[in-house]
Amino acid sequence: MKPFPKIHDIYVGRVVLSTVLLTWAVLLGLDFMLSFVGEFGDIGKGRYGIMQALAYMALTVPRRAYALFPYASVVGSLMALGQLASTSELTVLRAVGLSRRRLSIAVAGALALLTLLMVFNGETLAPAAQRRAESLKAAAKSNNQVVAEYSGLWAREGDVILAASQGQERSQGADRWLELRNVNLYQFGADGRLVSIAVAGVAEHRPGGWLLRDVTRTTFHEKSAEKKHIAEERWESKLDSSALMSGTNRPRYLSATALHKAIEDRQRNQLDAGEFEAHYWGRWFYPLNVLALCLAAVPFAFGSLRSGGMSKRLFIGIVFALMFWLLQNQFVELAKVFRFDFRLAYLMPTVVMLSVSAFLFRRRSG
């Protein structure tokens, strides 16, 4: 087959991109407004007013954009192809040699650009902005000028249990570190007996490890207890800021890097890491799912383009695409219950949908 001029791919991609962006904006706007209305119940608590609520909502936009993009991509793609079909442009493109496969590649290529942007957003801007949003809201509601992002934190590291009343991320120039306040460290022996309690005014996690300041340590012996005060001491621990962050933020709001560290921390301490593994592999399969979802729904845009029923095909395609997410969610939940590999849970629905898409392409070819 003679190679098709590149200008047609660019034209189809431009139509798809513009329609997806418009659909994305509409979905994001609706989600923003509905969520903002939901914030009215918290307005008036402490210093949390309308302006704080708007600031909180604005900071959650990157995370909402990431979550809504798959839906916007499939709806926008089908709307774009429907637009080309309604103006007979799709018929003309087919008449001059543009195959269904080539058209699907043009759609996938256009979406790949936005998908890569969303992957970058999901690993950088979205989690950081979400943490800042939760921090701003918590501080405003509690009338606390200190960012209480890690309020009421509990964590386990081997035979030591850490409890902190509050904390925050600090920075100076390029340096960033986690600072916890009013920290209690409970150390237990192999027999479950409480060995010591260390109360620290401040605990700082820096690249070199943990630094405890203003420490009062009580050590329990067989028939006595010993108390001593230490101005500053090091705590050798693999527990880092990412692991602690995972304990106060919902897993779906964390980056893949933070999720990976949280999984390692839980596995090291023999804790269940299923929820974090599910979201971690969801990050890796996110771009594949977006493209697979759109490619699986694209055949519904074809058929007898001159006849009616495009709205019906569009509706069926959207339902078909939404079934993909329901199917995948069910597989992920089954993986949590029966403890099989989450990679398999994410891959199986994709294979099923792409197989159905390939079947529909062959059936409607010609």
Side-chain angles (χ1 to χ4, degrees), residues 108-131:
L111 290 176
L113 298 175
L114 291 178
T115 302
L116 290 175
L117 178 63
M118 279 300 98
V119 169
F120 179 77
N121 171 53
E123 292 303 303
T124 54
L125 181 60
Q130 186 66 36
R131 289 199 306 272

Side-chain angles (χ1 to χ4, degrees), residues 29-228:
L30 289 173
D31 183 61
F32 184 94
M33 292 303 300
L34 291 174
S35 299
F36 181 64
V37 171
E39 290 297 307
F40 287 176
D42 289 331
I43 290 177
K45 296 180 180 179
R47 297 182 296 104
Y48 193 66
I50 291 290
M51 297 307 297
Q52 286 75 19
L54 283 172
Y56 168 79
M57 291 300 303
L59 287 168
T60 65
V61 167
R63 188 261 301 171
R64 296 177 189 279
Y66 179 87
L68 290 173
F69 174 68
Y71 302 98
S73 63
V74 66
V75 174
S77 298
L78 289 170
M79 291 294 290
L81 293 175
Q83 175 186 334
L84 291 174
S86 65
T87 56
S88 299
E89 291 175 278
L90 205 56
T91 304
V92 173
L93 292 173
R94 291 293 312 284
V96 297
L98 184 66
S99 67
R100 300 174 193 270
R101 183 175 302 173
R102 185 61 179 267
L103 183 61
S104 298
I105 292 174
V107 172
L111 290 176
L113 298 175
L114 291 178
T115 302
L116 290 175
L117 178 63
M118 279 300 98
V119 169
F120 179 77
N121 171 53
E123 292 303 303
T124 54
L125 181 60
Q130 186 66 36
R131 289 199 306 272
R132 177 58 183 159
E134 299 296 337
S135 173
L136 182 151
K137 184 175 181 179
K141 288 174 64 178
S142 64
N143 275 324
N144 190 346
Q145 298 298 324
V146 178
V147 179
E149 182 177 345
Y150 301 93
S151 179
L153 172 66
W154 288 82
R156 175 186 172 188
E157 170 63 15
D159 58 359
V160 177
I161 294 178
L162 177 148
S165 63
Q166 62 178 235
Q168 66 183 123
E169 285 183 316
R170 292 190 176 277
S171 62
Q172 185 175 7
D175 296 331
R176 298 179 64 89
W177 68 92
L178 172 64
E179 180 182 282
L180 301 179
R181 294 186 174 274
N182 302 323
V183 179
N184 291 343
L185 296 174
Y186 304 93
Q187 183 175 7
F188 294 86
D191 57 355
R193 185 177 63 88
L194 182 62
V195 175
S196 69
I197 299 176
V199 180
V202 177
E204 296 180 356
H205 180 265
R206 295 178 179 269
W210 285 94
L211 178 64
L212 306 179
R213 302 180 187 276
D214 190 20
V215 183
T216 301
R217 182 179 297 278
T218 303
T219 304
F220 300 98
H221 302 293
E222 194 70 32
K223 295 183 180 181
S224 63
E226 178 187 1
K227 178 183 286 188
K228 59 180 179 180

Side-chain angles (χ1 to χ4, degrees), residues 255-277:
S255 66
T257 302
L259 286 168
H260 181 66
K261 291 183 178 180
I263 292 169
E264 288 184 334
D265 173 67
R266 277 156 176 73
Q267 290 176 342
R268 187 171 63 251
N269 291 288
Q270 299 179 344
L271 299 174
D272 181 26
E275 188 71 19
F276 293 87
E277 289 185 44

